[in-house]
Amino acid sequence: MSEIPETANGATRGVVWQSSPPGSIYDYIRVASFSIGPDGLVDQWSRRAAELFGVSAEEARGKDPVEVFMPAHLRERGHRRVREILDGREWTGLVPFHQPGEERPHGIAEMYVMPSETGNGQRAALCVVVDVRALRRIETDLAASQAIFGQSPFGFLLFGTDLTVKRTNRRFATVFGGTTDDHRGRTAYDYLPHAEAERMTAALRKVLETGEAVTDLEIVGAAPGARDRRHWSINLYRVHSGSGRPVGVAGLGIDVTRRHNAAREAASARRNLALLNEAGARIGTTLDLQATARELLDVAVPGFCDFAAVDLYQGLLTGDEAPPGRWGGSQDIGYGAGSAEVRRVAVASAVPDTPVRLGRQRHTGAVGLDVPPARDGEAAEAGNAGEMSHGTASHGTASHGTASHGTASHGTGTPGPASPEAVSDRAMAPAPLAGGACGDPAPIKVGSVHRFPFNSPCAGALRTGRPHTVPGPDGSVVQSTLVVPMVAHDTTVGLAQFSRAMGSEPFGERDRALAVELAARAAVCIDNARLYRREHERALILQRSLLPPGDPEAAGLDIACRYLPGTVGSEVGGDWFDVIELPGHRTALVIGDVMGRGLRAAVAMGELRTAVRTLAQLDLEPAEVLSHLDEIARGLGAPGGAQQSARAHKSRGPELSEVYLATCVYAVYDPVTRRCTFANAGHLPPALVEPGRAARLLDVPPGMPLGVGGEPFEEVTVELPEGALLALYTDGLVESRDHPLDEGLKAFRTALTGPDQPLEDVCDHVLTTLDTGHGEDDIALLMARIQGLPGDAVGDWRLPREPRSVGRARELARAQLTAWELEPLVDTVELLVSELVTNALRYGEGEIRLRLLRERTLVCEVWDAGLVQPRRRRAKDTDEGGRGLQLVGLLSAGWGSRRTPHGKTVWFELALPGGEGAAEPTVDQLLSMF
């Protein structure tokens, strides 16, 4: 047992007895004792002696210690020393000893022997023994302890069981000031902020109670007199006495500030790289300028900043051909001078219930305008007033990586904004304004057009093309703002503003570089969208200019058509259609699709459409028209034209070759017979809906696409019933990524089948029913309802090959015109019919056929079996004839000839009375023929 004085407030109040072994030096040096009686034999033997010498008290009592423990060659000296001690002399020395049964010495004991007396006055001796090996270990441990406390480069503390500092080393004292003795009795609260001291105290108490060591406990604080925050890694373990009783907690502290900063920089670099990767994946997914601006803010908020806004040049959004802004010197004006009109296209906020002012600036102030935060992290849509509200934000930049909105701290001990749970649908309460770098008291709503003053940071950034960092004004929730121009290919397209709230660290150089990179990526996407939109609009204008203007009209047909260009996300295709009037009130229906997209496809479409109209005027058969078109398509772009088309086709690149490939359907309809002749060059088959029957696809042999060559084209003639519906279309109507061709054709036939409706309504029904909103390709639809010429509008006669047929032809023409009440045309028609029949008798062969057709105009046709085409020539002054065709050309609105399967047909056309026709020939024109 031992007694320890108990003190309280420095006053001794009593003695506390404890039964545990004393925690002192004796626990370590292993002090043993025994006594020798007057006879030189052991009479008392302590427990420590039994542990040291390995002999129990029963075995040691009554034995001669010299004989038992000392080697044989030292026993004589040992007996002499015992006698001297028993004579009353003290002795101290080192004595080798061995345990029973051992020959070699077990150790060396340092003995202190002092004389004593027994109860009856006889002389005895008391021996105190210390194991020399224990002393040597203590010396080594003391040297190691001194090395740790005096020479270690790491801070070392020893806390007692009351969690006060008992000892520190010089390194610790060097960091926190004073000497090592000055720190005795202090606690963790004397060195650390309250929150960190609480963590440290809890860790000390846990180690002291459980004995479990704590490693790499990161503590943040500051040394006395220093402003920089330091980071220490603390290792704690419990310290025990020699008897195993806990006596305190040892702590080893290492300054890991540099390592922490390096890790933070590395983490920041990784976060920035991840942010850039996210930007590359999310920015520029569409060709919509405002959508791209919103995508930029979706990436930046809250990953990079708390508030953000994007302004784009108004001229860029309206399609102005001038460059949005080329930045350069301060003398630049217009777009790059900071005074051009800009439109606020997107804003975003990560701080709930905080109106954000990011806008124009007065002359020197930084007061912003109210743009409420965005909802769910999305930028406001254009035209929205900008009411937005975000949840928790967590930034991932080098200086912003520890900020987490909705928490109590932003890494600097400053309380952050309210948590997202506090956000409700109530009216926005007044809050400190987030002052913008170019603020103005008047709100700038999303979609509004405004200007930046010339001397504002925003105008300066637009003018110079360099970012500016603007600190937030007093009383604002914004700490700092980065004003970054959006520059692409030396062209400024707009301005991005990134702001951080109070409690977040200000923008650094790494943040500036990241902001410039984000803005540049968005600017490139916006500029590409602008350029693409310009090309798309030009191609669309070109393509629309080449399509038939207005509603086409044709004899014997009711026609309706639709053309839907692809969306902005897809380039203009080469779809086209045409309705061409042919002689004899016949009509050519054409639809085609140039393979390829963009302006070049539109140009190729225009060239092919012009070629089709030219070939149609030659009145060739449909198969012949496609054959000539095939030659023309192969010769497009070749220096030598069609003669070198094959070689040019091989020499051109794959893209150019594909542009001049096309599919086409060419059909010729005769309203007199209601027969339609089709030829197909790799296009989708026409659809026909007969009255009372379901729609079907006509079996027209699909030839090779135009431009491939090498294969002839076949013709198919179909007799169309009155009231039937004929539909020509392109693949964009019936095929898309989500709907394969077979499903589209089936849906198209289903949409066509139904009760009779006006043709315009049928077109609208088809476009509404089918998937025409995909925008992947152009859509062309040409529909015609069959309305043949009535029998009373046709006069058809066959004349024998004899001279009197000329007079008979005049009589038949006069009678028919009189029946049609076209008396004003009788004289002209008689004269021209006489000339054509006379030519047929003189130069033609076989039977003569005369046909008059009355529709919108009057057409007269003279048929014969001859193959020689009439050729108009100028008669000489001495010629008696040769002026008949000149007279026909002069008096008619038009004339011509065409081959037929059994000969040729010569025709002329006259305007009906009351309509706009050819003017009457003058006297000079008539005399010029003679």
Side-chain angles (χ1 to χ4, degrees), residues 264-559:
R264 186 176 180 182
E265 290 293 325
S268 172
R270 289 192 297 269
R271 283 191 294 266
N272 290 353
L273 181 60
L275 193 64
L276 289 177
N277 290 338
E278 182 183 5
R282 297 180 60 183
I283 298 177
T285 58
T286 68
L287 290 173
D288 183 82
L289 280 69
Q290 300 185 43
T292 302
R294 291 193 294 271
E295 290 169 349
L296 170 62
L297 299 193
D298 290 341
V299 173
V301 180
F304 177 70
C305 61
D306 301 304
F307 317 107
V310 173
D311 297 275
L312 298 180
Y313 278 114
Q314 177 67 4
L316 180 144
L317 296 172
T318 56
D320 193 345
E321 289 298 324
R326 293 194 176 275
W327 48 271
S330 59
Q331 303 300 324
D332 294 345
I333 60 175
Y335 282 108
S339 60
E341 290 184 339
V342 293
R343 184 193 300 177
R344 177 64 51 84
V345 296
V347 295
S349 173
V351 182
D353 288 350
T354 303
V356 183
R357 289 190 170 185
L358 294 173
R360 298 173 294 176
Q361 184 184 17
R362 291 190 173 185
H363 297 293
T364 56
V367 182
L369 66 90
D370 292 336
V371 179
R375 295 185 181 275
D376 301 332
E378 295 182 357
E381 297 289 341
N384 190 348
E387 295 186 3
M388 299 174 288
S389 176
H390 270 283
T392 301
S394 179
H395 303 289
T397 60
S399 61
H400 216 50
T402 59
S404 178
H405 295 287
T407 62
S409 174
H410 284 248
T412 59
T414 304
S419 62
E421 290 77 4
V423 180
S424 65
D425 294 333
R426 67 183 183 278
M428 188 173 295
L433 299 178
C438 304
D440 189 271
I444 298 180
K445 297 181 179 180
V446 174
S448 62
V449 179
H450 61 98
R451 296 174 182 267
F452 293 120
F454 184 83
N455 293 326
S456 66
C458 293
L462 289 172
R463 187 167 54 252
T464 62
R466 299 185 180 91
H468 293 270
T469 303
V470 182
D474 297 336
S476 170
V477 300
V478 171
Q479 185 195 66
S480 58
T481 298
L482 265 179
V483 179
V484 184
M486 303 176 68
V487 181
H489 311 120
D490 291 341
T491 298
T492 302
V493 300
L495 185 76
Q497 300 179 54
F498 306 102
S499 299
R500 287 182 180 171
M502 288 294 181
S504 303
E505 296 184 8
F507 292 104
E509 289 300 323
R510 188 187 298 272
D511 299 315
R512 288 169 62 94
L514 179 60
V516 170
E517 179 66 22
L518 289 175
R521 293 195 178 195
V524 169
C525 295
I526 290 175
D527 194 49
N528 289 341
R530 177 183 68 88
L531 296 175
Y532 176 83
R533 184 181 65 180
R534 183 179 64 182
E535 180 180 350
H536 183 274
E537 291 175 351
R538 290 178 177 178
L540 188 58
I541 292 173
L542 174 62
Q543 188 176 35
R544 286 189 179 275
S545 67
L546 298 175
L547 294 176
D551 295 329
E553 295 181 358
L557 292 175
D558 181 15
I559 295 178

Side-chain angles (χ1 to χ4, degrees), residues 200 363 401 412 419 538 557 577 613 693 764 796 808 901:
M200 183 70 176
H363 297 293
T412 59
S419 62
R538 290 178 177 178
L557 292 175
F577 63 89
R613 296 190 70 89
R693 303 182 64 180
D764 295 337
D796 196 352
R808 178 60 178 165

Side-chain angles (χ1 to χ4, degrees), residues 556-559 723-725 756-759 762 783-787:
L557 292 175
D558 181 15
I559 295 178
L725 181 63
D756 290 341
Q757 301 181 41
L759 201 56
V762 176
M783 305 186 74
R785 193 183 299 279
I786 306 303
Q787 297 174 352

Side-chain angles (χ1 to χ4, degrees), residues 592-643:
D593 185 2
V594 175
M595 298 181 185
R597 296 181 181 277
L599 188 60
R600 294 171 57 196
V603 171
M605 178 270 287
E607 293 177 322
L608 291 178
R609 178 175 179 268
T610 302
V612 169
R613 296 190 70 89
T614 302
L615 294 171
Q617 296 305 318
L618 298 178
D619 209 354
L620 302 176
E621 295 298 324
E624 293 183 71
V625 171
L626 293 186
S627 297
H628 287 294
L629 277 180
D630 182 58
E631 290 292 332
I632 294 173
R634 285 189 291 163
L636 288 178
Q643 289 79 7

Side-chain angles (χ1 to χ4, degrees), residues 75 85 99 133 266 297 740 747 822 883 897:
R75 289 173 184 171
I85 292 170
Q99 293 182 349
R133 294 176 302 175
L297 299 193
L822 297 177
R883 295 177 178 84
S897 66

Side-chain angles (χ1 to χ4, degrees), residues 74 95 195 221 358 475 532 534 576 614 617 650 657 681 724 761 788 829 901 924:
L74 296 176
V95 178
L358 294 173
Y532 176 83
R534 183 179 64 182
W576 96 92
T614 302
Q617 296 305 318
K650 294 180 180 178
S657 299
D761 295 342
V829 172
D924 293 338

